[in-house]
Amino acid sequence: VSLISSVLKSLELFLQLKNNSFYYEIREKSRKRQTQIINEIEKLRDAGDSNSSDRADLLRDELKSEREELEHLSAFYTKAKGKSKS
C-alpha cells in the first residue's frame, strides 16, 4: 500500500510539474506574440498611410484578444492550481 501511495504521489507531482511548464510556455509565447504585434503596430503607425492605419487597427484588436486570452488562461490556471493544493 505504501508503494502504491508513493507511486501515485510521484505521478501527481510529475503531472503538476508538467502542467506548470506547459502554462509558462504558453505564457511566454503569448508575451512574445504581444511584443511582435506591438512592434508591428508601431511600424505601421510610423508609415502613416491609410492602409497602414487600417492594418494597425486590426492588429490592435488582435493584441487586445491576445491579452484577454492570456488573462483568461492565467485566471483558469490560478483557480486550478488553488484546487490542486486542497
Side-chain angles (χ1 to χ4, degrees), residues 21-45:
S21 81
F22 181 68
Y23 167 71
Y24 289 116
E25 182 179 321
I26 289 174
R27 190 177 74 178
E28 286 305 307
K29 284 181 181 178
S30 178
R31 287 185 176 164
K32 286 179 184 177
R33 177 73 181 128
Q34 288 179 42
T35 300
Q36 289 173 339
I37 293 170
I38 289 168
N39 291 338
E40 184 66 22
I41 289 171
E42 289 174 357
K43 283 196 296 190
L44 290 167
R45 294 287 186 213

Side-chain angles (χ1 to χ4, degrees), residues 27-74:
R27 190 177 74 178
E28 286 305 307
K29 284 181 181 178
S30 178
R31 287 185 176 164
K32 286 179 184 177
R33 177 73 181 128
Q34 288 179 42
T35 300
Q36 289 173 339
I37 293 170
I38 289 168
N39 291 338
E40 184 66 22
I41 289 171
E42 289 174 357
K43 283 196 296 190
L44 290 167
R45 294 287 186 213
D46 287 344
D49 61 66
S50 171
N51 290 334
S52 295
S53 291
D54 291 344
R55 175 75 178 133
D57 290 342
L58 291 172
L59 285 173
R60 188 186 65 231
D61 292 341
E62 188 176 332
L63 178 62
K64 181 181 177 204
S65 177
E66 184 75 29
R67 286 177 174 163
E68 288 170 351
E69 289 174 12
L70 182 60
E71 184 177 317
H72 175 73
L73 176 66
S74 295

Side-chain angles (χ1 to χ4, degrees), residues 10-26 77:
S10 295
L11 179 60
E12 177 187 0
L13 293 173
F14 170 77
L15 293 175
Q16 285 177 356
L17 179 63
K18 190 83 168 158
N19 188 35
N20 288 346
S21 81
F22 181 68
Y23 167 71
Y24 289 116
E25 182 179 321
I26 289 174
Y77 174 77

Side-chain angles (χ1 to χ4, degrees), residues 1-10:
V1 175
S2 177
L3 179 62
I4 293 172
S5 295
S6 295
V7 169
L8 289 176
K9 186 63 176 176
S10 295

